[in-house]
Amino acid sequence: MFTFIIRRLLFLPVVFVGVTLGIVLLMQLLSPTQRAASYVTSPQQLANVEAIIKRYHLADPWYVQYWTWLREAAKGNFGYSKVAKMPVLKAIGERFPSTVELALAALLPIVGVGIWFGTAAALNRDKLIDQVTRVMSIVGWSLPTFVLGIWLLVIFYGALNWFTPGQITGKHAIELANEIANGTFHRYTHFLTIDSLLNGRFDIFLDDLKHLVLPVITLAAVSSAQIMRVMRSSLLDALGQDYVRTARSKGLAEVVVNNKHARKNALIPVLTLSGFTIIGLLGGVVITETIFNYPGMGSFIANAATQLDYSSVLAGAVFIAIIVVLANLVVDVLYGLVDPRIRYN
Amino acid sequence: MKRVLILVAVAAFAMVAFGQSAKDTFVWQTFGGVDTLDPAMAYDTSSGTILENVYEPLMGYKGDSASEYAPRLATGVTVSQDGKTVTYTLRKGVKFQSGNDFTCKDVAYTIKRDLVTNNPASAIWFLAQPFTGSAANASDALGKDATDADYAKYWKMIDGAVTCPDDYTAVMHLHAADPAFLAKMAFPAAYPIDSKWAIANGAWDGTEATWRKYIGQDGHNTYLNDHASGTGAYQLVSWTPGQRVVLKANENYWGGAPAIKNVLYQIVDDQNARILALKNGDADRISLGSLSALSQVEGLPGVKVYNRNGDLGWTSVTVGAVSMNEKIKADNNPSIGSGKLDGKGIPPDFFTDVHVRKCFNYAFDYQAYIKQVLLGMGNTINFLLPPSFLGYDKNVPEYTFDLEKAAAECKLAWNGQLWSNGMKLVISYNTGNLQRQTVADILKSNLEYLNPKFNVEVRGIAWPDFLAAQRAKELPVYISGWAPDYADPDNYVTTYYDGENGYYAAYEGFNNAQMNQIVRQAATETNPEARKLLYSQAAHLAYDLAPYINLPQQRPMMELRSDVQGVYLNPMYSGQFLWKDISK
């Protein structure tokens, strides 16, 4: 197991070079003027495009640009993000904690609801709960995030005014900014939930949780539908296997057969899917973030890509690649725990 | 399960916090985002909005006027006979938010720092012009082969740009008289920064020994990018890029502490969320985004739409035009088809024939644009200069939608060949801009209606490709826009009509000697009456030459909670009004 993990981690530098080189080469398909477009935001700047190309070395050959970037990256300088308006590493440091908070808050309902309903549906095949689950999964699966998000916003913010979009209400934002400036609120971890608790600000903690409700419902409705379907079909498949029949013929109680013998095996594809889900959530969820004005990684990387923000795209891609490798590693390790047949030696 | 649901519902109610920002708090929700807080770098409206409340000009605009000035950090200003020496008398007893005293040293440092850095993406180019005679920074102006002696000479010019006979007198020494100078000094780049504080925090130290290191400096990623120390009525508390800027009242403000104590400038990119926030009172002002959403805001209780019916007389300072390129790139250009007047394309010099340009001007349905795109809230213009600016002559004729006249002009074009052979034309716009797309669609449908042999394609191009194609002069017809940097007609007229110095004129190959001469004379004319006359002449000539289709202007409006008092519109402010002037 240990050598397997090391082997996987050694793969990271290869991914780093592959991803960054790929992006640098892709950017060469654009002319220096096209690359200068991200610096030109008002018609007034149009007259200075030539000077901008010169100032930011946009016409240098690709290997010079790549070498400059690598050299700076080795020193820990990944460049300035034009989209985030701060150094790229700082931007990731600011946004990733928010994304992790949202991802963790969403993961529990996504996986919990998915597994619970999927199991109930499989065990009660063609009964009411199965029919309901199937309808729920089809609706959830086919409902576009932006439609559900806007509905939730209109109902729970517009009509009822229960939940506001953003990460924190205006009043708390002002208080927090003043307290941070005065040194009375410390940002130990950059996770707002944790920091508010560490600073004894339960009101801010609750406020942050409250702001997670609508995005979590939106994400859970869509993503749990997938898990529900996979769980149901995988469990049905397992229930028809010989070893389940054997377990039953041994006289084991139905609960034990279902939970210990069938469900454990049925969880393997769910685990894979959950791995992909968490990768997706950690990489950011653009539409949900935009609708609920949630400052996560998704909108950052999407904006960087559309605005050709070179440094952010490079660093963002490296970051996502690392998450994908690590999340896959975790899922692979978990396989071994769930299924004793899988060993990595 | 039931119990869980009840618990969730109760918890939700328990956490409810009903809206309405506090009486001394002003919340403005907008989209986009602040780019930088360094006045020497800022060139976008969001950054401008923050800067104009934190820093201050020497002479600022008077209330909602874009042409009259009122004392701010200066108590008065005099301009010498030859227009080349401008003397400001500075206000005494003013302190920066850091606690440092404001003196002439800060004024001199600010201007010199602007002239030294002059990053090509910044607004300094127009401030540099009157001081150095060039819009470029030292290294771009001097070129690659410049010697140390050249740089030393350039430094002398920068160093002598502002002198301080005493702490409270600042004398500006201009390279040439510039009637727009006072207007240029009202742009945030010229707002004095706290020199002591800036130098202590890593900005240029103000000496000849180091200045060359700072030429063209990109102020992002420096201390001044996300910190501020101005003399203004508001003080920066924090800026979280992409999310919010929090400011508090400067209780020591020389003009008296403002009524609004906290300002939250929030970035909310989703339009629905902004509208709901205004409805719930979480926002006191929102930037609407698209005109079509106006119906969702109108009539909401507690919400007021300012100038909805033009009742406040607010007019726009933004102009838009359809450019008709007279010197289209001939080789390897996918936008001109065959490159000949054979019905399968257009020749590269297609628009050099004035009849083609007049035909297009008559073929645009101005009223349909006002009705469909501006939802009835717009006005036509006869020259690419806002009617509120000096020199706009409302007696100059303007083109109206007239298909008969359009047909007559098109029949005259290219000795009748255009009419008999037809054309295949591409109109381009940058994707995502719906207004521009509609302009192109209106023009297409009318041109195609004129003659079945006229074939027009509307092409949306992503911004980077649009920029590259425009610079390569590949686009035959495209739509452009301009908002002012400084309140002077020259900022528009040179841009659109000076065939050598004007950005749009040069790119579309419009170069008329008579027009160039009038525009240049007007740019340096210091007598306002004489200037007016020159601009009127230019407008008449522009009517005859028809280099652009002048697009109607959209009526400016503002959407705020009705308890906000003291709202006005000064088109030269990025935020339309200063927060120190409002209350709730």
Side-chain angles (χ1 to χ4, degrees):
Chain A
M1 175 73 91
F2 184 68
T3 46
F4 169 76
I5 294 174
I6 295 295
R7 227 172 31 227
R8 275 295 186 87
L9 291 179
L10 283 177
F11 193 55
L12 277 176
V14 182
V15 172
F16 177 85
V17 174
V19 167
T20 52
L21 198 58
I23 290 173
V24 169
L25 291 176
L26 258 180
M27 289 292 274
Q28 297 311 307
L29 296 175
L30 303 173
S31 69
T33 308
Q34 285 170 314
R35 275 177 260 150
S38 68
Y39 294 86
V40 180
T41 47
S42 72
Q44 276 80 355
Q45 292 162 318
L46 291 168
N48 293 342
V49 170
E50 215 58 67
I52 287 172
I53 291 172
K54 193 178 141 209
R55 168 68 182 76
Y56 295 100
H57 307 285
L58 301 176
D60 285 358
W62 70 269
Y63 47 85
V64 175
Q65 292 190 32
Y66 188 53
W67 177 242
T68 312
W69 183 81
L70 269 183
R71 215 176 42 205
E72 288 299 312
K75 286 189 248 164
N77 175 16
F78 281 77
Y80 184 84
S81 164
K82 294 187 62 57
V83 166
K85 318 290 181 200
M86 56 176 94
V88 175
L89 278 191
K90 193 175 168 209
I92 293 175
E94 291 265 340
R95 292 188 170 238
F96 190 58
S98 306
T99 295
V100 172
E101 282 183 355
L102 180 60
L104 291 182
L107 194 66
L108 202 69
I110 289 172
V111 177
V113 169
I115 291 180
W116 194 87
F117 275 98
T119 309
L123 295 179
N124 301 285
R125 194 176 183 180
D126 294 333
K127 290 190 190 149
L128 183 65
I129 180 86
D130 187 23
Q131 311 285 10
V132 170
T133 304
R134 273 194 276 176
V135 171
M136 268 170 54
S137 70
I138 288 171
V139 172
W141 181 245
S142 51
L143 198 63
T145 320
F146 67 90
V147 173
L148 179 63
I150 288 173
W151 279 352
L152 291 176
L153 199 67
V154 168
I155 296 168
F156 290 101
Y157 181 44
L160 301 170
N161 201 5
W162 288 0
F163 302 106
T164 42
Q167 197 183 16
I168 185 165
T169 45
K171 182 175 148 267
H172 280 130
I174 294 171
E175 273 176 27
L176 201 58
N178 277 293
E179 287 185 23
I180 292 173
N182 298 336
T184 47
F185 187 100
H186 300 281
R187 298 185 71 193
Y188 301 104
T189 63
H190 283 256
F191 286 85
L192 192 55
T193 40
I194 300 173
D195 285 347
S196 52
L197 286 178
L198 290 177
N199 282 283
R201 290 299 301 267
F202 202 63
D203 54 337
I204 293 179
F205 173 73
L206 270 185
D207 188 44
D208 187 23
L209 284 192
K210 204 178 97 179
H211 282 83
L212 286 171
V213 173
L214 295 186
V216 163
I217 294 177
T218 310
L219 292 173
V222 177
S223 300
S224 64
Q226 289 166 270
I227 296 200
M228 232 180 260
R229 287 170 73 93
V230 172
M231 184 69 212
R232 178 182 178 275
S233 61
S234 163
L235 186 55
L236 279 177
D237 195 37
L239 286 171
Q241 296 290 321
D242 288 346
Y243 64 85
V244 172
R245 217 170 301 143
T246 310
R248 280 210 183 99
S249 63
K250 281 199 304 188
L252 285 177
E254 195 61 19
V255 182
V256 179
V257 174
N258 289 341
N259 286 353
K260 282 207 88 171
H261 292 253
R263 191 156 78 170
K264 204 170 173 190
N265 282 306
L267 275 176
I268 294 174
V270 173
L271 201 59
T272 312
L273 188 58
S274 302
F276 286 131
T277 307
I278 187 91
I279 289 170
L281 290 174
L282 288 178
V285 277
V286 183
I287 297 171
T288 312
E289 283 175 14
T290 308
I291 292 174
F292 296 108
N293 200 35
Y294 196 85
M297 290 289 288
S299 46
F300 166 51
I301 292 176
N303 283 338
T306 51
Q307 294 178 30
L308 297 179
D309 183 358
Y310 200 53
S311 332
S312 303
V313 170
L314 274 172
V318 169
F319 189 73
I320 302 275
I322 293 172
I323 289 181
V324 171
V325 171
L326 293 182
N328 271 325
L329 179 63
V330 171
V331 169
D332 285 345
V333 170
L334 284 179
Y335 278 154
L337 296 179
V338 174
D339 187 347
R341 288 171 302 181
I342 299 173
R343 282 289 170 265
Y344 297 105
N345 297 320
Chain B
M1 190 67 189
K2 213 191 235 172
R3 227 180 301 159
V4 173
L5 284 176
I6 292 170
L7 259 175
V8 168
V10 170
F13 272 109
M15 291 194 289
V16 168
F18 287 101
Q20 293 296 351
S21 68
K23 200 112 186 93
D24 62 353
T25 300
F26 179 67
V27 180
W28 180 3
Q29 289 195 353
T30 183
F31 51 91
V34 174
D35 179 54
T36 173
L37 295 179
D38 183 349
M41 264 321 278
Y43 210 170
D44 61 303
T45 51
S46 289
S47 306
T49 301
I50 307 299
L51 292 174
E52 67 200 10
N53 286 286
V54 174
Y55 291 92
E56 287 180 291
L58 294 175
M59 296 292 286
Y61 295 106
K62 193 172 176 185
D64 59 1
S65 169
S67 52
E68 289 175 81
Y69 300 96
R72 294 284 289 279
L73 284 177
T75 52
V77 60
T78 55
V79 182
S80 67
Q81 271 283 290
D82 65 357
K84 287 168 73 173
T85 311
V86 182
T87 308
Y88 289 94
T89 309
L90 306 182
R91 193 176 292 281
K92 291 176 181 160
V94 177
K95 279 191 185 298
F96 283 102
Q97 288 148 7
S98 64
N100 294 331
D101 287 325
F102 161 72
T103 65
C104 177
K105 239 183 21 232
D106 303 297
V107 178
Y109 175 79
T110 303
I111 298 295
K112 288 179 198 174
R113 178 173 174 263
D114 283 344
L115 299 178
V116 167
T117 57
N118 193 356
N119 179 281
S122 77
I124 308 298
W125 65 272
F126 63 78
L127 199 61
Q129 266 169 345
F131 284 110
T132 66
S134 160
N137 61 37
S139 74
D140 288 337
L142 294 173
K144 256 190 199 159
D145 307 324
T147 60
D148 284 348
D150 295 331
Y151 275 100
K153 211 170 135 197
Y154 209 93
W155 162 254
K156 267 208 162 138
M157 185 162 57
I158 290 178
D159 196 34
V162 186
T163 51
C164 297
D166 60 66
D167 272 358
Y168 298 101
T169 308
V171 186
M172 315 271 160
H173 305 278
L174 308 191
H175 186 265
D178 182 355
F181 185 70
L182 290 186
K184 290 178 178 181
M185 288 295 288
F187 189 85
Y191 293 6
I193 61 170
D194 183 344
S195 58
K196 234 186 192 171
W197 163 88
I199 294 168
N201 288 296
W204 171 55
D205 63 6
T207 67
E208 185 180 3
T210 54
W211 80 286
R212 283 174 69 174
K213 270 202 301 199
Y214 289 84
I215 299 174
Q217 187 200 28
D218 186 334
H220 295 105
N221 217 359
T222 63
Y223 187 82
L224 266 67
N225 183 54
D226 47 10
H227 295 80
S229 171
T231 57
Y234 288 90
Q235 202 170 337
L236 177 74
V237 175
S238 80
W239 169 35
T240 315
Q243 296 179 55
R244 67 186 81 88
V245 184
V246 178
L247 304 105
K248 64 176 181 187
N250 175 5
E251 295 298 333
N252 303 319
Y253 182 55
W254 61 266
I260 296 290
K261 301 296 178 197
N262 298 293
V263 176
L264 176 62
Y265 184 84
Q266 253 180 323
I267 310 302
V268 178
D269 282 329
D270 188 67
Q271 181 173 273
N272 291 300
R274 291 197 300 273
I275 293 174
L276 295 176
L278 185 67
K279 171 185 168 286
N280 288 349
D282 288 334
D284 297 297
R285 178 184 181 185
I286 60 165
S287 305
L288 196 58
S290 82
L291 210 50
S292 56
L294 190 66
S295 57
Q296 293 177 53
V297 176
E298 269 185 308
L300 285 178
V303 170
K304 187 170 170 184
V305 179
Y306 285 80
N307 204 36
R308 168 68 179 82
N309 303 310
D311 45 327
L312 297 174
W314 295 351
T315 52
S316 172
V317 292
T318 304
V319 296
V322 177
S323 286
M324 295 172 277
N325 191 346
E326 294 180 34
K327 268 192 190 161
I328 310 169
K329 184 184 161 203
D331 309 320
N332 206 6
N333 184 353
S335 295
I336 52 169
S338 62
K340 292 179 201 136
L341 205 55
D342 55 2
K344 293 174 193 154
I346 52 164
D349 55 354
F350 181 60
F351 287 108
T352 51
D353 188 328
V354 71
H355 296 297
V356 179
R357 305 197 299 266
K358 285 188 174 176
C359 166
F360 277 45
N361 262 283
Y362 282 122
F364 186 72
D365 191 343
Y366 303 86
Q367 294 308 323
Y369 176 76
I370 292 178
K371 210 170 151 193
Q372 288 170 21
V373 179
L374 306 181
L375 307 176
M377 292 167 274
N379 58 280
T380 56
I381 47 174
N382 60 35
F383 190 44
L384 291 174
L385 178 69
S388 59
F389 272 63
L390 176 132
Y392 185 88
D393 182 353
K394 60 181 189 322
N395 299 319
V396 173
E398 63 187 42
Y399 287 92
T400 51
F401 175 51
D402 189 330
L403 284 176
E404 275 178 31
K405 284 185 183 163
E409 291 291 345
C410 264
K411 280 176 188 163
L412 288 173
W414 293 93
N415 296 321
Q417 277 186 66
L418 171 60
W419 195 258
S420 54
N421 296 351
M423 64 169 176
K424 193 170 183 305
L425 176 82
V426 177
I427 304 179
S428 311
Y429 69 96
N430 51 316
T431 40
N433 194 321
L434 282 177
Q435 289 201 353
R436 291 184 180 178
Q437 186 180 357
T438 315
V439 168
D441 285 336
I442 292 174
L443 195 56
K444 169 189 161 76
S445 62
N446 292 336
L447 286 171
E448 288 184 342
Y449 179 81
L450 278 183
N451 184 337
K453 288 181 186 164
F454 288 0
N455 188 350
V456 180
E457 182 195 336
V458 172
R459 200 178 276 175
I461 310 179
W463 173 237
D465 303 329
F466 184 89
L467 181 62
Q470 189 206 18
R471 285 178 57 76
K473 301 190 179 180
E474 281 178 5
L475 308 178
V477 180
Y478 61 90
I479 299 135
S480 66
W482 190 259
D485 298 309
Y486 50 93
D488 191 88
D490 176 55
N491 194 219
Y492 298 84
V493 180
T494 293
T495 304
Y496 274 109
Y497 298 103
D498 185 327
E500 280 151 20
N501 303 323
Y503 177 76
Y504 283 127
Y507 268 101
E508 76 153 38
F510 169 71
N511 197 353
N512 180 281
Q514 195 190 350
M515 182 66 100
N516 291 350
Q517 195 231 327
I518 300 174
V519 172
R520 283 170 210 172
Q521 200 184 333
T524 50
E525 176 59 66
T526 47
N527 179 343
E529 287 309 312
R531 266 189 117 192
K532 262 190 203 170
L533 218 62
L534 287 165
Y535 284 126
S536 172
Q537 278 178 29
H540 278 284
L541 188 57
Y543 177 77
D544 294 337
L545 298 172
Y548 305 93
I549 298 174
N550 305 336
L551 294 175
Q553 292 183 295
Q554 181 184 322
R555 177 187 305 155
M557 282 176 285
M558 265 192 261
E559 298 77 24
L560 285 106
R561 295 289 301 177
S562 39
D563 59 349
V564 181
Q565 307 293 318
V567 172
Y568 58 90
L569 175 129
N570 186 317
M572 296 315 296
Y573 286 139
S574 296
Q576 288 76 43
F577 53 84
L578 298 179
W579 301 327
K580 72 180 176 68
D581 297 331
I582 57 162
S583 60
K584 271 168 82 181

